[in-house]
Amino acid sequence: MRYEAPNSLDQAVALLAKETGEARVLAGGTDLLVQMRTDIIDPVLVVDIKGIAELRQIKEEGGGYRIGAAVTGAELKEHPKLKSIWPGIVEAANLIGSTQIQGRATMGGNLCNGSPAADSVPALIAAGAKATIVGPKGRRDIPVEDVMLAPRKLSLTKGEIIASFLLPAKPARTGEAYLRFIPRTEMDIAVVGCAVNVTLDASGTCTDARVVLGAVAPTQLVVDEAAQALIGHKLDDAALQRLDGAAQAACRPITDKRGTIEYRIKVAGVLARRAAAIAFDRAMTRG
């Protein structure tokens, strides 16, 4: 195996584009190194991107925030303004592993690992975030939900790297939340995850919403029917029941050692209701 640590995106892209064997990008390494040590993958080339300054920055842009793909969960948590404006994003990123893992793990790596149970991905999708991808043909921006095609399969082409995520300007009275269910209190993989983002009018009625489920299908699910259950309504029992039903109906889970199909479907509805309640509460405080 060859290890390279370029100090620019152009160098990283050139290395990946030139390699004829299997090449992998190392951001935090919390998934990659485990997979290498357990012989799940055996790359010819590992390109470490932590030394590329552009990928380690959090900066305001166009009223929103651009977050480098190699920014760690711990660094997100230590950014007070970002944490205040996008608490659900920061909370989701900090559900990845232990405190020590959060000092290494990145949202870029979490997405590129290609797991339907990734914690930061539903929150990014619900926020309307875009991924900036850099490759031999230049840069392109795509919605985060378009990056993952199937488990372990991404829409990136040879030589491409996710450089950053762009969170849009957040409208007034907009709130978001991400919740997951795991068998243990921490350091486990989501049985179900749910992110909700809502915008309210002055009366507390929902005018826009996104609901995203994780770990209940081959990829994260944007559930338009669940969003419609909230739009035009306040957070009353009827809206919550419609949301619960829409979330359950969208699920296409599997049975594994962490949960059955029936259990995952039921939990999806419960988490959707709970995440919506948090999102509505946060939206009301952002007048």
Side-chain angles (χ1 to χ4, degrees), residues 63 75 101 111 258 278:
E75 289 168 331
I101 292 296
L111 173 59
R258 295 192 305 280
I278 296 170

Side-chain angles (χ1 to χ4, degrees), residues 191-214:
V191 174
V192 181
C194 181
V196 177
N197 185 299
V198 296
T199 300
L200 312 180
D201 65 16
S203 72
T205 300
C206 181
T207 60
D208 194 20
R210 290 200 106 192
V211 179
V212 183
L213 296 173

Side-chain angles (χ1 to χ4, degrees), residues 29-44:
T30 58
D31 288 309
L32 178 65
L33 295 181
V34 172
Q35 292 167 8
M36 290 171 62
R37 293 202 48 152
T38 54
D39 296 324
I40 295 174
I41 59 173
D42 185 21
V44 175

Side-chain angles (χ1 to χ4, degrees), residues 200 204-207 228-236 238-239 242 280:
L200 312 180
T205 300
C206 181
T207 60
Q228 290 302 317
L230 297 174
I231 295 173
H233 304 281
K234 296 185 179 180
L235 194 67
D236 53 29
R242 289 192 299 270
F280 266 73

Side-chain angles (χ1 to χ4, degrees), residues 34-267:
V34 172
Q35 292 167 8
M36 290 171 62
R37 293 202 48 152
T38 54
D39 296 324
I40 295 174
I41 59 173
D42 185 21
V44 175
L45 171 66
V46 170
V47 178
D48 187 340
I49 61 172
K50 294 192 303 297
I52 302 175
E54 178 182 346
L55 309 190
R56 299 300 307 277
Q57 298 175 350
I58 303 172
K59 59 183 181 180
E60 296 184 48
E61 181 177 315
Y65 276 90
R66 184 170 294 279
I67 303 171
V71 171
T72 69
E75 289 168 331
L76 291 172
K77 186 166 58 177
E78 294 300 317
H79 196 287
K81 195 169 181 182
L82 179 67
K83 188 176 179 180
S84 173
I85 296 174
W86 290 100
I89 297 288
V90 176
E91 289 167 0
N94 278 273
L95 287 173
I96 303 169
S98 64
T99 299
Q100 293 92 333
I101 292 296
Q102 289 156 16
R104 299 282 302 181
T106 67
M107 292 197 298
N110 197 223
L111 173 59
C112 290
N113 186 48
S115 169
D119 283 311
S120 67
V121 178
L124 286 168
I125 295 172
K130 290 188 176 181
T132 295
I133 299 168
V134 179
K137 296 182 180 180
R139 293 181 179 242
R140 60 189 178 102
D141 294 323
I142 65 171
V144 170
E145 58 264 38
D146 292 341
V147 173
M148 185 176 161
L149 303 176
R152 312 298 181 194
K153 185 177 180 181
L154 308 179
S155 61
L156 276 63
T157 60
K158 185 173 177 58
E160 288 190 321
I161 297 174
I162 292 182
S164 60
F165 299 100
L166 181 61
L167 295 172
K170 196 172 190 180
R173 291 187 294 274
T174 296
E176 28 81 57
Y178 171 78
L179 296 176
R180 70 173 183 185
F181 174 78
I182 58 174
R184 301 185 295 177
T185 57
E186 61 182 24
M187 295 200 308
D188 211 336
I189 299 171
V191 174
V192 181
C194 181
V196 177
N197 185 299
V198 296
T199 300
L200 312 180
D201 65 16
S203 72
T205 300
C206 181
T207 60
D208 194 20
R210 290 200 106 192
V211 179
V212 183
L213 296 173
V216 294
T219 64
Q220 289 77 24
L221 294 177
V222 180
V223 188
D224 291 333
E225 294 81 2
Q228 290 302 317
L230 297 174
I231 295 173
H233 304 281
K234 296 185 179 180
L235 194 67
D236 53 29
D237 288 341
L240 287 172
Q241 284 301 116
R242 289 192 299 270
L243 171 64
D244 187 315
Q248 291 196 47
C251 293
R252 304 194 305 274
I254 61 171
T255 292
D256 62 16
K257 63 183 179 182
R258 295 192 305 280
T260 63
I261 290 173
E262 295 78 11
Y263 186 63
R264 281 189 158 102
I265 291 173
K266 180 66 176 178
V267 171

